[in-house]
Amino acid sequence: MIKSQNITWQPTKVTKAARQNLLGHKPAVLWFTGLSGSGKSTIAMAVEKRLFERGLNSYVLDGDNIRFGLNQNLGFTATDRQENIRRIGEVAKLFVDAGTITLTAFISPYRADRDQVRALLAADEFIEVFVDTPLAVCEQRDVKQLYAKARRGEIKGFTGVDAPYEAPLKPELTIDTSQQSLAQSVDQIIDYLQAKQYITAANAESQL
Ligand SMILES: Nc1ncnc2c1ncn2[C@@H]1O[C@H](COP(=O)(O)OS(=O)(=O)O)[C@@H](OP(=O)(O)O)[C@H]1O
Ligand SMILES: Nc1ncnc2c1ncn2[C@@H]1O[C@H](COP(=O)(O)OP(=O)(O)O)[C@@H](O)[C@H]1O
Protein backbone atom coordinates (compact mmCIF):
# COMPACT_ATOMS: atom_id res chain seq x y z
CA MET A 1 0.00 0.00 0.00
CA ILE A 2 1.43 3.40 -0.98
CA LYS A 3 1.44 5.68 2.08
CA SER A 4 2.91 8.77 0.40
CA GLN A 5 0.41 11.24 -0.97
CA ASN A 6 0.66 13.90 -3.69
CA ILE A 7 3.23 11.95 -5.69
CA THR A 8 3.33 11.79 -9.50
CA TRP A 9 5.16 9.20 -11.62
CA GLN A 10 7.85 10.91 -13.72
CA PRO A 11 8.41 9.27 -17.10
CA THR A 12 12.06 9.17 -18.21
CA LYS A 13 13.32 10.33 -21.59
CA VAL A 14 15.61 7.32 -22.12
CA THR A 15 13.45 4.27 -22.71
CA LYS A 16 14.22 0.71 -21.67
CA ALA A 17 14.34 -0.24 -25.37
CA ALA A 18 16.88 2.51 -26.09
CA ARG A 19 19.11 1.30 -23.25
CA GLN A 20 18.84 -2.26 -24.53
CA ASN A 21 19.90 -1.08 -27.98
CA LEU A 22 22.93 0.71 -26.57
CA LEU A 23 24.03 -2.16 -24.33
CA GLY A 24 23.44 -4.91 -26.89
CA HIS A 25 21.70 -7.36 -24.59
CA LYS A 26 18.29 -7.79 -23.02
CA PRO A 27 18.12 -7.27 -19.25
CA ALA A 28 16.35 -9.63 -16.85
CA VAL A 29 16.44 -10.83 -13.27
CA LEU A 30 17.87 -14.27 -12.65
CA TRP A 31 16.13 -14.98 -9.34
CA PHE A 32 18.02 -17.73 -7.51
CA THR A 33 16.02 -19.38 -4.72
CA GLY A 34 16.91 -22.32 -2.50
CA LEU A 35 18.07 -23.37 0.92
CA SER A 36 21.03 -21.86 2.74
CA GLY A 37 24.14 -23.55 1.34
CA SER A 38 22.38 -24.77 -1.79
CA GLY A 39 24.79 -22.79 -4.00
CA LYS A 40 22.84 -19.63 -4.91
CA SER A 41 25.67 -17.15 -4.26
CA THR A 42 28.40 -19.36 -5.70
CA ILE A 43 26.54 -19.86 -8.99
CA ALA A 44 25.24 -16.28 -9.23
CA MET A 45 28.73 -14.86 -8.76
CA ALA A 46 30.26 -17.24 -11.29
CA VAL A 47 27.58 -16.31 -13.85
CA GLU A 48 28.10 -12.60 -13.13
CA LYS A 49 31.83 -13.03 -13.75
CA ARG A 50 31.24 -14.94 -16.99
CA LEU A 51 28.85 -12.23 -18.24
CA PHE A 52 31.24 -9.46 -17.19
CA GLU A 53 34.11 -11.11 -19.06
CA ARG A 54 31.88 -11.02 -22.13
CA GLY A 55 31.42 -7.28 -21.81
CA LEU A 56 27.89 -7.55 -20.46
CA ASN A 57 26.44 -5.42 -17.72
CA SER A 58 25.60 -7.76 -14.81
CA TYR A 59 25.29 -7.43 -11.03
CA VAL A 60 24.62 -9.72 -8.06
CA LEU A 61 22.33 -8.73 -5.19
CA ASP A 62 23.23 -11.18 -2.41
CA GLY A 63 21.17 -12.00 0.69
CA ASP A 64 23.84 -11.61 3.35
CA ASN A 65 25.29 -8.46 1.73
CA ILE A 66 21.97 -6.67 1.36
CA ARG A 67 21.17 -7.43 5.01
CA PHE A 68 24.32 -5.49 6.02
CA GLY A 69 22.89 -2.32 4.47
CA LEU A 70 19.56 -1.69 2.80
CA ASN A 71 17.77 -4.36 4.82
CA GLN A 72 19.72 -4.20 8.09
CA ASN A 73 16.49 -3.55 10.00
CA LEU A 74 14.97 -6.90 8.95
CA GLY A 75 15.20 -10.27 10.69
CA PHE A 76 13.94 -13.71 9.71
CA THR A 77 10.27 -13.75 10.72
CA ALA A 78 7.89 -14.51 7.84
CA THR A 79 6.88 -10.83 7.79
CA ASP A 80 10.48 -9.60 7.67
CA ARG A 81 11.41 -12.09 4.96
CA GLN A 82 8.39 -10.90 2.97
CA GLU A 83 9.56 -7.26 3.28
CA ASN A 84 13.13 -8.32 2.45
CA ILE A 85 11.99 -9.90 -0.81
CA ARG A 86 9.61 -7.04 -1.64
CA ARG A 87 12.43 -4.49 -1.37
CA ILE A 88 14.85 -6.63 -3.36
CA GLY A 89 12.18 -7.07 -6.03
CA GLU A 90 11.86 -3.30 -6.32
CA VAL A 91 15.64 -2.85 -6.43
CA ALA A 92 15.98 -5.60 -9.03
CA LYS A 93 13.31 -3.88 -11.12
CA LEU A 94 15.34 -0.64 -11.06
CA PHE A 95 18.47 -2.54 -12.13
CA VAL A 96 16.57 -4.11 -15.04
CA ASP A 97 15.27 -0.69 -15.99
CA ALA A 98 18.89 0.47 -16.10
CA GLY A 99 19.64 -2.41 -18.50
CA THR A 100 21.54 -4.71 -16.15
CA ILE A 101 21.36 -8.50 -16.15
CA THR A 102 20.59 -8.79 -12.45
CA LEU A 103 21.24 -11.89 -10.35
CA THR A 104 19.62 -12.19 -6.92
CA ALA A 105 20.67 -14.78 -4.33
CA PHE A 106 18.07 -14.92 -1.55
CA ILE A 107 16.52 -17.94 0.09
CA SER A 108 13.13 -16.32 -0.68
CA PRO A 109 11.31 -19.27 0.92
CA TYR A 110 7.74 -18.15 0.25
CA ARG A 111 6.12 -18.78 -3.14
CA ALA A 112 3.77 -15.81 -2.80
CA ASP A 113 6.68 -13.41 -2.20
CA ARG A 114 8.56 -14.67 -5.26
CA ASP A 115 5.39 -14.51 -7.37
CA GLN A 116 4.90 -10.93 -6.25
CA VAL A 117 8.33 -10.05 -7.64
CA ARG A 118 7.54 -11.91 -10.86
CA ALA A 119 4.39 -9.80 -11.19
CA LEU A 120 6.42 -6.59 -10.83
CA LEU A 121 8.34 -7.34 -14.01
CA ALA A 122 7.45 -8.10 -17.63
CA ALA A 123 6.85 -11.80 -18.32
CA ASP A 124 10.28 -12.40 -19.87
CA GLU A 125 12.17 -10.29 -17.33
CA PHE A 126 11.91 -12.74 -14.41
CA ILE A 127 13.82 -16.00 -14.65
CA GLU A 128 13.34 -18.17 -11.58
CA VAL A 129 16.35 -20.41 -10.90
CA PHE A 130 15.54 -23.10 -8.34
CA VAL A 131 18.75 -24.29 -6.70
CA ASP A 132 17.28 -27.60 -5.67
CA THR A 133 20.14 -29.05 -3.64
CA PRO A 134 18.85 -31.55 -1.06
CA LEU A 135 18.71 -30.34 2.55
CA ALA A 136 21.00 -33.16 3.65
CA VAL A 137 23.72 -31.94 1.25
CA CYS A 138 23.32 -28.29 2.33
CA GLU A 139 23.48 -29.38 5.93
CA GLN A 140 26.56 -31.50 5.37
CA ARG A 141 28.31 -28.52 3.72
CA ASP A 142 27.21 -26.21 6.52
CA VAL A 143 29.40 -23.45 5.08
CA LYS A 144 28.59 -21.01 7.89
CA GLN A 145 27.95 -23.57 10.66
CA LEU A 146 24.38 -22.26 10.85
CA TYR A 147 22.64 -25.64 10.47
CA ALA A 148 24.62 -26.95 13.44
CA LYS A 149 23.52 -23.93 15.48
CA ALA A 150 19.91 -24.35 14.35
CA ARG A 151 19.94 -28.07 15.28
CA ARG A 152 21.27 -27.14 18.71
CA GLY A 153 18.41 -24.65 19.05
CA GLU A 154 20.76 -21.65 19.06
CA ILE A 155 19.03 -20.17 15.98
CA LYS A 156 15.24 -20.23 15.86
CA GLY A 157 13.28 -20.28 12.60
CA PHE A 158 16.08 -21.53 10.37
CA THR A 159 14.91 -22.40 6.85
CA GLY A 160 14.74 -26.16 6.31
CA VAL A 161 15.10 -26.90 10.03
CA ASP A 162 12.22 -25.17 11.78
CA ALA A 163 11.06 -22.70 9.14
CA PRO A 164 9.47 -23.63 5.81
CA TYR A 165 10.84 -23.58 2.25
CA GLU A 166 8.19 -23.59 -0.47
CA ALA A 167 9.72 -24.99 -3.67
CA PRO A 168 8.88 -23.25 -6.96
CA LEU A 169 6.15 -24.97 -8.98
CA LYS A 170 7.31 -23.86 -12.44
CA PRO A 171 10.83 -22.47 -12.28
CA GLU A 172 12.45 -21.55 -15.59
CA LEU A 173 15.61 -23.41 -14.51
CA THR A 174 16.39 -26.07 -11.89
CA ILE A 175 19.87 -26.86 -10.65
CA ASP A 176 20.87 -29.58 -8.18
CA THR A 177 24.46 -28.87 -7.17
CA SER A 178 24.83 -32.37 -5.75
CA GLN A 179 24.40 -33.66 -9.31
CA GLN A 180 26.29 -31.12 -11.42
CA SER A 181 29.47 -29.08 -11.18
CA LEU A 182 29.63 -25.32 -10.86
CA ALA A 183 30.91 -25.07 -14.44
CA GLN A 184 27.93 -27.11 -15.69
CA SER A 185 25.52 -24.82 -13.83
CA VAL A 186 27.13 -21.71 -15.31
CA ASP A 187 26.94 -23.22 -18.81
CA GLN A 188 23.28 -24.17 -18.24
CA ILE A 189 22.40 -20.57 -17.42
CA ILE A 190 24.48 -19.00 -20.20
CA ASP A 191 22.95 -21.45 -22.70
CA TYR A 192 19.45 -20.50 -21.49
CA LEU A 193 20.19 -16.77 -21.86
CA GLN A 194 21.51 -17.37 -25.35
CA ALA A 195 18.66 -19.69 -26.44
CA LYS A 196 16.08 -17.14 -25.25
CA GLN A 197 18.04 -14.32 -26.90
CA TYR A 198 18.83 -12.28 -23.81
CA ILE A 199 22.42 -12.41 -25.02
CA THR A 200 23.70 -13.23 -28.48
CA ALA A 201 26.42 -15.52 -29.75
CA ALA A 202 28.45 -12.34 -30.40
CA ASN A 203 28.16 -11.54 -26.67
CA ALA A 204 29.51 -15.03 -26.00
CA GLU A 205 33.01 -14.03 -27.16
CA SER A 206 35.21 -12.98 -24.25
CA GLN A 207 35.91 -9.23 -24.35
CA LEU A 208 38.78 -9.30 -21.87
N1 LIG B 1 16.85 -18.09 10.48
C1 LIG B 1 17.54 -18.07 9.34
N2 LIG B 1 17.07 -18.73 8.24
C2 LIG B 1 17.76 -18.71 7.11
N3 LIG B 1 18.94 -18.05 6.92
C3 LIG B 1 19.44 -17.37 7.97
C4 LIG B 1 18.77 -17.37 9.22
N4 LIG B 1 19.52 -16.62 10.08
C5 LIG B 1 20.58 -16.19 9.43
N5 LIG B 1 20.56 -16.64 8.15
C6 LIG B 1 21.57 -16.25 7.14
O1 LIG B 1 20.91 -15.30 6.31
C7 LIG B 1 20.99 -15.68 4.95
C8 LIG B 1 19.59 -15.68 4.28
O2 LIG B 1 19.19 -14.38 4.05
P1 LIG B 1 18.09 -14.10 2.94
O3 LIG B 1 17.92 -12.62 2.89
O4 LIG B 1 18.48 -14.79 1.69
O5 LIG B 1 16.80 -14.82 3.55
S1 LIG B 1 15.29 -14.68 3.11
O6 LIG B 1 15.23 -14.70 1.64
O7 LIG B 1 14.77 -13.41 3.63
O8 LIG B 1 14.58 -15.82 3.70
C9 LIG B 1 21.50 -17.08 4.91
O9 LIG B 1 22.47 -17.00 3.90
P2 LIG B 1 22.61 -18.07 2.72
O10 LIG B 1 23.33 -19.20 3.38
O11 LIG B 1 23.47 -17.34 1.72
O12 LIG B 1 21.30 -18.44 2.13
C10 LIG B 1 22.12 -17.34 6.28
O13 LIG B 1 23.50 -17.12 6.22
N1 LIG C 1 28.38 -27.99 -7.74
C1 LIG C 1 28.41 -26.96 -6.89
N2 LIG C 1 27.84 -25.77 -7.25
C2 LIG C 1 27.83 -24.72 -6.37
N3 LIG C 1 28.37 -24.76 -5.13
C3 LIG C 1 28.95 -25.93 -4.73
C4 LIG C 1 28.98 -27.07 -5.59
N4 LIG C 1 29.59 -28.07 -4.93
C5 LIG C 1 29.92 -27.59 -3.72
N5 LIG C 1 29.56 -26.31 -3.59
C6 LIG C 1 29.81 -25.48 -2.39
O1 LIG C 1 28.56 -25.28 -1.72
C7 LIG C 1 28.60 -24.05 -1.02
C8 LIG C 1 27.38 -23.24 -1.41
O2 LIG C 1 27.37 -22.05 -0.64
P1 LIG C 1 26.68 -20.73 -1.12
O3 LIG C 1 26.95 -20.47 -2.56
O4 LIG C 1 27.04 -19.67 -0.12
O5 LIG C 1 25.12 -21.13 -0.97
P2 LIG C 1 23.89 -20.18 -0.72
O6 LIG C 1 24.19 -18.84 -1.34
O7 LIG C 1 22.75 -20.90 -1.40
O8 LIG C 1 23.72 -20.11 0.77
C9 LIG C 1 29.92 -23.34 -1.39
O9 LIG C 1 30.84 -23.55 -0.36
C10 LIG C 1 30.33 -24.08 -2.65
O10 LIG C 1 31.74 -24.09 -2.83
Side-chain angles (χ1 to χ4, degrees):
M1 201 235 280
I2 297 178
K3 285 195 180 159
S4 315
Q5 292 182 341
N6 305 314
I7 54 171
T8 309
W9 184 263
Q10 299 293 328
T12 55
K13 292 206 183 335
V14 181
T15 63
K16 202 188 273 188
R19 283 183 210 281
Q20 191 175 318
N21 225 7
L22 179 75
L23 294 167
H25 64 265
K26 188 174 152 43
V29 180
L30 284 158
W31 188 277
F32 291 78
T33 173
L35 296 169
S36 177
S38 57
K40 303 180 297 294
S41 303
T42 304
I43 302 169
M45 291 187 186
V47 172
E48 178 194 39
K49 184 163 177 286
R50 178 85 73 89
L51 292 171
F52 182 81
E53 286 166 356
R54 290 167 186 207
L56 298 169
N57 193 10
S58 60
Y59 194 79
V60 176
L61 299 168
D62 181 81
D64 276 327
N65 294 355
I66 294 288
R67 281 172 175 278
F68 274 110
L70 177 66
N71 290 349
Q72 63 182 201
N73 63 327
L74 299 177
F76 291 93
T77 62
T79 312
D80 277 7
R81 290 182 201 246
Q82 180 184 22
E83 177 60 11
N84 187 36
I85 299 312
R86 187 193 72 77
R87 288 185 202 169
I88 300 311
E90 293 287 352
V91 171
K93 184 180 170 161
L94 293 174
F95 270 74
V96 168
D97 213 36
T100 304
I101 299 176
T102 309
L103 305 99
T104 64
F106 298 83
I107 297 177
S108 42
Y110 298 110
R111 211 171 279 140
D113 299 347
R114 296 191 302 265
D115 287 348
Q116 206 173 21
V117 179
R118 188 187 279 276
L120 269 183
L121 293 148
D124 56 356
E125 285 175 349
F126 184 86
I127 303 165
E128 193 169 28
V129 184
F130 179 24
V131 187
D132 187 16
T133 307
L135 173 63
V137 175
C138 299
E139 192 159 358
Q140 198 191 9
R141 288 177 183 163
D142 210 0
V143 184
K144 303 168 189 161
Q145 295 296 300
L146 296 179
Y147 284 100
K149 280 192 183 166
R151 292 290 178 199
R152 290 197 300 267
E154 292 167 21
I155 302 177
K156 300 282 182 219
F158 197 80
T159 308
V161 176
D162 56 350
Y165 179 78
E166 298 173 359
L169 298 176
K170 283 174 95 178
E172 277 72 13
L173 290 165
T174 301
I175 293 171
D176 177 349
T177 65
S178 68
Q179 302 297 319
Q180 62 189 66
S181 69
L182 176 58
Q184 285 172 322
S185 300
V186 174
D187 285 346
Q188 182 184 345
I189 291 169
I190 297 292
D191 288 351
Y192 180 89
L193 293 176
Q194 210 169 302
K196 301 279 181 185
Q197 298 182 326
Y198 292 91
I199 61 177
T200 64
N203 296 141
E205 305 285 324
S206 176
Q207 305 287 312
L208 297 181

